[in-house]
Amino acid sequence: KLPGDEVRVGDVLAELDTKDITERLNVALSKRSQAEKQMQILLNDRDQQGNPRTAEARVEQEKIREAEAEIALYRSQLDRAQIKATID
């Protein structure tokens, strides 16, 4: 928007460069996907003694939680990268 333009509530007035945050978000999404796949593999697998690989699956579950925290952070940063009109 330019000075003097009419705006409505929610109109984007300015936006910061979000390329870096978007890249980080994509990496975090990829990490989560990889950890989810690996966790499923481990949950359906057995070690050499025939025991379930639950401890290793828990490690992957923690990786999922970590990635989800990163995803939430980057999405929040993307939301705050825009300055929006709060009044008409």
Side-chain angles (χ1 to χ4, degrees), residues 27-73:
V27 168
L29 289 166
S30 178
K31 279 193 221 176
R32 180 180 66 184
S33 178
Q34 290 172 352
E36 288 171 339
K37 289 175 187 174
Q38 186 62 25
M39 185 177 78
Q40 286 304 315
I41 289 169
L42 292 168
L43 288 173
N44 294 320
D45 197 16
R46 303 263 178 202
D47 64 16
Q48 292 176 350
Q49 288 80 32
N51 300 316
R53 298 173 70 182
T54 52
E56 294 166 276
R58 285 188 189 127
V59 170
E60 295 304 317
Q61 187 174 23
E62 289 305 315
K63 288 180 184 179
I64 293 167
R65 287 187 185 138
E66 180 182 338
E68 287 175 344
E70 289 178 12
I71 291 165
L73 171 67

Side-chain angles (χ1 to χ4, degrees), residues 16-26 78:
L16 300 173
D17 181 7
T18 59
K19 189 183 335 178
D20 184 50
I21 298 169
T22 301
E23 288 174 10
R24 290 178 187 202
L25 173 61
N26 289 334
L78 287 171

